[in-house]
């Protein structure tokens, strides 16, 4: 089974900061990596698919990169509405999917 | 608008059963695979099950295999999750999600609001 890890597990940042979250797969997953944002009490929202493709309607301050085992989600200038938990998800072994443990971004 | 609405959650005793439903609208339900994903209180997301667009194939996480059954009724635009032999560790918010194929990669592009299942005596 493919295991996903994320770092850090949480971070504190200020509005306007550049934020980077890392996701690592236990084996190569090519570019089969998605990112989701979840706010408290709400359903997750798809941000990035195929490692670097921005989902329709998602602000361009979000970007994704990486391939193989190491991936990054970057928020170029953190906005108040971006405080949330972010999850990576591998789709290499579709239709069996695995999520990372999540990274909580809160206000410094 | 495109929407998924779950129902059927509640409190059930260990060993009991529950059936969740997910009503779809705003898209051609019969053309898409569908998932169930759950989230235990204060925990992360766990993929539970997937069913192909026509119901021909079903896949399960090891943690629910043999106890949960995913199904769909395309005439009613509804997805189901039959949960049997429930355990305390099945306590979670259960989300249904639509599978979207992006050419070489699929992801979950539409999610319901979730329904809470509590397994407790």
């Amino acid at each position: 089974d493919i295991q996903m890890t994320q770092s850090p597990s949480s971070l504190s940042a200020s509005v306007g900061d550049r934020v980077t979250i890392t996701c690592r797969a236990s084996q190569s997953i090519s570019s089969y990596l998605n990112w989701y944002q979840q706010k408290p009490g709400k359903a997750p929202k798809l941000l990035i698919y195929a490692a670097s493709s921005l989902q329709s309607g998602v602000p361009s301050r979000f970007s994704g990169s990486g391939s193989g085992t190491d991936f990054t989600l970057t928020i170029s200038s953190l906005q108040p509405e971006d405080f949330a938990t972010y999850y990576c998800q591998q789709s290499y072994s579709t239709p069996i999917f695995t999520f990372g443990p999540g990274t909580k971004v809160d206000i410094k | 608008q495109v929407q998924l609405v779950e129902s059927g959650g509640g409190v059930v005793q260990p060993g009991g059963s529950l059936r969740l439903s997910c009503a779809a609208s705003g898209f051609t339900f019969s053309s898409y695979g569908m998932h169930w994903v759950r989230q235990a209180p204060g925990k992360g997301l766990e993929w539970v099950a997937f069913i192909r667009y026509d119901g021909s194939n079903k896949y399960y996480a090891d943690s629910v295999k043999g106890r949960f059954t995913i199904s769909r009724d395309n005439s009613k635009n509804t997805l189901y999750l039959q949960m049997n032999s429930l355990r305390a560790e099945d306590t979670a918010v259960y989300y249904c999600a639509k599978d979207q194929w992006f050419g070489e990669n699929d992801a979950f592009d539409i999610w319901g609001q979730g329904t809470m299942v509590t397994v407790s005596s």
Side-chain angles (χ1 to χ4, degrees), chain A residues 1 31-34 36 38 41-46 49-51 55 87 89 91 94-101, chain B residues 35 37 39 43-47 50 52 59-62 95 99 101-102 104-109 111-114:
Chain A
D1 293 3
S31 295
Y32 295 95
L33 193 283
N34 307 315
Y36 298 84
Q38 187 181 32
K42 301 294 186 182
K45 172 187 174 183
L46 177 64
Y49 62 90
Q55 170 66 343
Y87 294 92
Q89 176 204 43
S91 57
T94 183
I96 308 295
F97 295 82
T98 313
F99 290 93
Chain B
H35 301 269
V37 176
Q39 186 170 38
K43 302 297 185 182
L45 301 169
E46 179 187 15
W47 174 81
F50 170 76
R52 293 205 186 276
Y59 303 85
Y60 300 92
D62 288 344
Y95 296 100
D99 188 272
W101 182 248
F102 289 101
E104 290 190 359
N105 180 89
D106 52 343
F108 304 177
D109 69 332
W111 295 66
Q113 85 288 352

Side-chain angles (χ1 to χ4, degrees), chain B residues 47-59:
Chain B
W47 174 81
V48 172
F50 170 76
I51 186 168
R52 293 205 186 276
Y53 68 99
D54 58 358
S56 59
N57 294 91
K58 305 171 185 181
Y59 303 85

Side-chain angles (χ1 to χ4, degrees), chain A residues 59-100:
Chain A
S60 59
R61 62 181 179 274
F62 291 93
S63 64
S65 64
S67 67
T69 60
D70 295 321
F71 302 86
T72 299
L73 173 70
T74 299
I75 309 172
S76 60
S77 178
L78 197 67
Q79 298 302 300
E81 60 269 31
D82 300 337
F83 292 96
T85 300
Y86 294 85
Y87 294 92
C88 62
Q89 176 204 43
Q90 67 82 15
S91 57
Y92 179 85
S93 59
T94 183
I96 308 295
F97 295 82
T98 313
F99 290 93

